[in-house]
Amino acid sequence: MSETLLKLTLEVNSVKAVAPEEVISFKREGVQQAVFDRLCSGGYKVASEVDLHQLKLELAREALFQSIEQARQLGQRSILVIHGKGSRSKPIPALMKSFVATWLVEIDAVLAYHSAQIHHGGNGAAYVMLTKSEQKRVETREENHKGAHQR
């Protein structure tokens, strides 16, 4: 099991509780505001989605992490994470949503996230922007290498 996956907490008292209807949002330093605004408004194509809202925490943590890793390997930069609102969840309301908000910040591959637009699940889902995989970085460097398109 990955070191990053294991560092993602399963302790309720280690997460900041969010309300079921609360908008969740996060942006790493270096992410341009215009890029973040476009993410928030649903302006990027959702390449894949992962539905966590009926899973137990341990399975949800693993599914989220694996989905992010797989998306990056496929070169996907934007995914949808469905966490649900959790109005009736125990021991705290919005249990899964609170954990997802915490986990996403702790995963280095996540550049930003924001609650989704209504047609993608609203406050029960989040758009997640990912970093490029190392392989995609190399490909981009090669494509953009000076003189690469000259014959």
Side-chain angles (χ1 to χ4, degrees):
M1 198 175 284
S2 156
E3 199 176 304
T4 302
L5 178 60
L6 290 174
K7 94 175 176 187
L8 302 178
T9 187
L10 292 170
E11 299 295 322
V12 175
N13 52 357
S14 297
V15 298
K16 178 185 176 284
V18 296
E21 292 297 330
E22 188 176 332
V23 170
I24 59 171
S25 190
F26 166 78
K27 171 176 85 91
R28 287 203 197 282
E29 204 170 301
V31 174
Q32 296 173 354
Q33 190 60 45
V35 170
F36 185 64
D37 291 345
R38 184 172 171 195
L39 177 73
C40 296
S41 67
Y44 291 105
K45 181 182 176 294
V46 172
S48 61
E49 58 183 62
V50 56
D51 188 346
L52 307 175
H53 86 286
Q54 293 296 323
L55 300 178
K56 296 204 177 304
L57 284 175
E58 198 165 342
L59 281 176
R61 176 180 73 169
E62 194 165 325
L64 176 65
F65 185 77
Q66 296 301 334
S67 295
I68 288 170
E69 288 297 298
Q70 182 177 15
R72 288 184 69 234
Q73 287 171 358
L74 294 171
Q76 299 173 349
R77 301 290 306 279
S78 180
I79 66 170
L80 182 69
V81 176
I82 302 163
H83 46 68
K85 293 181 183 176
S87 302
R88 296 183 303 276
S89 65
K90 301 282 187 237
I92 61 170
L95 180 72
M96 184 64 67
K97 182 176 182 174
S98 299
F99 272 94
V100 167
T102 300
W103 291 337
L104 289 173
V105 173
E106 295 174 358
I107 297 172
D108 292 338
V110 174
L111 288 174
Y113 69 78
H114 192 278
S115 290
Q117 296 294 307
I118 288 295
H119 63 280
H120 281 132
N123 295 339
Y127 300 123
V128 179
M129 179 179 288
L130 305 174
T131 60
K132 283 185 181 177
S133 67
E134 192 51 45
Q135 177 62 36
K136 289 295 175 186
R137 279 194 182 102
V138 168
E139 289 171 16
T140 300
R141 259 196 309 274
E142 288 173 359
E143 285 172 16
N144 296 329
H145 181 70
K146 195 171 187 168
H149 300 293
Q150 297 175 351
R151 290 191 166 206

